[in-house]
Amino acid sequence: MIAQTTTRTAQSPPQLGKETLLHADGLRKGFTLHAQAGLHLNVLENVSLTVNRGDCVALQGPSGSGKSTLMRSLYGNYRVNAGAIWVRHQDRRADREWADREWADREWLDIACCEPHELIALRQQTLGYVSQFLRVIPRVPALQVAAEPLMEVGVSREAAEEKVRSLFTHLNLPERLWSLSPTTFSGGEKQRVNIARAFAVDRPILLLDEPTAALDAANRAAVIELIEEKKAQGCALVGIFHDDAVRTQVCNQILTFGSHY
C-alpha cells in the first residue's frame, strides 16, 4: 500500500553525517476512531531516530505502544501528522550516472511528503521491508516471487533466480517448494520466502517486522547470519524483534516505546 500524496511542503534536509542513511525527526502520528465518537488516539509523539550504516535498531515496547505505526510510517504506508523522515536515496533512472557515486553524494528524500512515484523508486532501490505477511498472486512460483524485486531494478531473470536459489538454500527452504506457489506454504516457509525477497536486493536500508517470529532455532540462526552480513556491508536496519536472544545478538541500539493505555 502507498499512502496518498500530502499538501505538506518538503523542507531542506538537516546537516547529517555521511554515515547516516535514515533520520526521523519529531514524528507525530494519531488516528481518529470514528466508531468511538471520533476519539483521537495519539500513537507517535515527538519520536526521533537516527540510523547509520551498519546499525541495527530494535523497536521495543508493549503491544499498542507504536512500534508498528513507526515501521509503517518509515515505509510510507502511513503519513505522519508532523515531522520528517529523511532517507539517503538516489534515483537510479537510466539518465543518471548513479553507479559510480559515493554514499555521501546521494540525495535526501523526505518520506513524509514525497510523491507516489518517488516512494515507488525509494522502495525499489533503497528501502526494503520484511513484513509478517507474504501477499502473493496465486499460482506464481516462490522462486519468481522472490526474484521479482531484483528484476524490477534491472537484474536479468537468470541472475535474479540464481541469487534467490542461494538465499533459499541458506534459509533451508526445500528445493521441492521453489516451483510451487507460496500460498500453500506453512507460516515459517512463507516467512523465509519473504526474507529472501527482501534480502535479495542490495538496498541500503531494511525494515524488519518480526523476521524470525515463525521460525525454529535453525532457521532463526540462518536469518541472524543474513542480518549480520547486511550490517557488515553497511546496511542500516530497523526492526521489531520479540525474541530477546535475537534482539540482543543483532541490535546495537534500542528505541523504547511506552504504553498508551
Side-chain angles (χ1 to χ4, degrees):
M1 180 178 70
I2 296 177
Q4 295 181 350
T5 56
T6 176
T7 56
R8 293 174 58 194
T9 302
Q11 304 296 315
S12 298
Q15 293 296 317
L16 299 169
K18 66 179 182 180
E19 295 297 302
T20 299
L21 301 184
L22 172 66
H23 176 74
D25 184 40
L27 301 185
R28 290 179 50 248
K29 177 62 181 176
F31 299 92
T32 300
L33 308 180
H34 298 287
Q36 298 186 30
L39 175 69
H40 187 79
L41 179 64
N42 289 320
V43 180
L44 302 179
E45 189 66 45
N46 197 30
V47 174
S48 297
L49 174 70
T50 299
V51 193
N52 295 330
R53 295 185 64 182
D55 282 346
C56 184
V57 182
L59 308 183
Q60 182 173 292
S63 178
S65 60
K67 302 185 301 297
S68 294
T69 297
L70 177 58
M71 291 283 280
R72 291 168 185 158
S73 298
L74 295 178
Y75 197 57
N77 281 347
Y78 290 163
R79 290 293 200 192
V80 293
N81 302 121
I85 303 169
W86 293 104
V87 174
R88 200 182 289 269
H89 166 71
Q90 180 186 332
D91 189 350
R92 301 181 182 183
R93 293 177 299 181
D95 60 342
R96 299 277 188 105
E97 294 182 359
W98 59 269
D100 296 326
R101 294 179 62 180
E102 297 296 331
W103 286 91
D105 295 327
R106 294 191 177 214
E107 301 162 357
W108 289 101
L109 182 66
D110 183 3
I111 293 177
C113 54
C114 67
E115 297 292 333
H117 72 275
E118 294 174 314
L119 187 55
I120 290 171
L122 184 75
R123 291 175 175 179
Q124 285 180 337
Q125 304 157 11
T126 300
L127 184 63
Y129 187 87
V130 176
S131 73
Q132 299 180 52
F133 310 102
L134 178 65
R135 298 178 178 88
V136 297
I137 300 173
R139 296 182 295 278
V140 176
L143 187 65
Q144 184 176 336
V145 168
E148 180 185 15
L150 274 170
M151 292 187 289
E152 287 178 350
V153 295
V155 178
S156 69
R157 177 181 293 274
E158 181 180 356
E161 291 186 350
E162 181 60 31
K163 186 166 187 178
V164 169
R165 289 188 188 97
S166 176
L167 284 166
F168 279 175
T169 300
H170 178 84
L171 291 165
N172 305 308
L173 189 70
E175 189 171 350
R176 59 182 172 79
L177 299 180
W178 299 359
S179 61
L180 303 179
S181 170
T183 55
T184 65
F185 292 3
S186 69
E189 290 164 348
K190 288 179 180 177
Q191 185 70 338
R192 281 176 277 169
V193 174
N194 219 4
I195 290 167
R197 177 180 168 88
F199 278 64
V201 182
D202 291 326
R203 299 183 181 97
I205 305 168
L206 280 176
L207 307 177
L208 311 175
D209 190 355
E210 300 188 48
T212 61
L215 304 181
D216 59 24
N219 289 314
R220 282 198 301 273
V223 173
I224 288 171
E225 287 182 12
L226 291 178
I227 292 173
E228 294 290 359
E229 287 177 7
K230 287 293 185 182
K231 289 167 58 181
Q233 293 165 6
C235 183
L237 302 100
V238 180
I240 300 173
F241 303 92
H242 285 165
D243 188 312
D244 292 341
V246 173
R247 182 172 59 246
T248 299
Q249 185 166 347
V250 303
C251 298
N252 65 312
Q253 294 185 49
I254 295 178
L255 179 62
T256 302
F257 292 74
S259 175
H260 294 289
Y261 305 106

